[in-house]
Amino acid sequence: MPSTSILYSAAPYHIISYGTLLGSEIFQSFIAGIVAFRSLPRPQFATLQSALFPIYFAMQTALPVLLALTFPAERTAIGTTASSLSGVLEEGHRIHVLTPLLTTFLCGAANMVVIGPATTKCMKDRKHQETRDGKKSYDAGPQSETMQELNNRFAYLHGASSLVNLVGCIATVWYGFYLGERML
């Protein structure tokens, strides 16, 4: 076996990391979340999402870092470009590599550290308010003023989380187009 075995190259780890990131984003955002919402009663759906989201947001934060660390060098007619973080930071890679990886990282971090915990706290506050009001947050009819405020806050946080997640997904796909073009 030659000393330049593919196992010692960052390239396969880079592709596996990219596939894991994109696959988890697409699956969680457009398949699992929707199916779970339609299939489970609300309390069980909320419990499931509360358990899954911290893991998902941690992956969406960590995998762009792994992608930057495993960014492979490129052979050109005039030599080889830098790999790893040096390659990501090269001037020619800032738009198509650094920007989408940094965007995905920041979106995952924002959801993991700020928006996700705020949404979970709001859900718990609604649950406590349901006990005080004697009705569910989603029941028809008039809600208490406090529940209306909590429902509005939850809707705002959920929308913000969804938008930030979508931006992260778009950035991941944007990077994938560059990655695919680079391999041609």
Side-chain angles (χ1 to χ4, degrees), residues 6-82:
I6 193 73
L7 296 175
Y8 299 108
S9 168
Y13 304 105
H14 188 78
I15 297 299
I16 291 167
S17 298
Y18 177 76
T20 302
L21 175 60
L22 182 62
S24 65
E25 286 176 335
I26 299 299
F27 184 76
Q28 178 61 32
S29 302
F30 302 107
I31 299 169
I34 294 168
V35 170
F37 180 74
R38 290 180 181 166
S39 302
L40 296 173
R42 259 186 217 213
Q44 286 80 5
F45 172 72
T47 300
L48 175 67
Q49 294 298 73
S50 294
L52 286 177
F53 276 148
I55 298 164
Y56 170 65
F57 295 143
M59 287 177 62
Q60 199 179 30
T61 304
L63 286 169
V65 173
L66 187 57
L67 285 168
L69 292 172
T70 60
F71 184 73
E74 183 178 21
R75 292 188 185 111
T76 64
I78 57 172
T80 305
T81 61

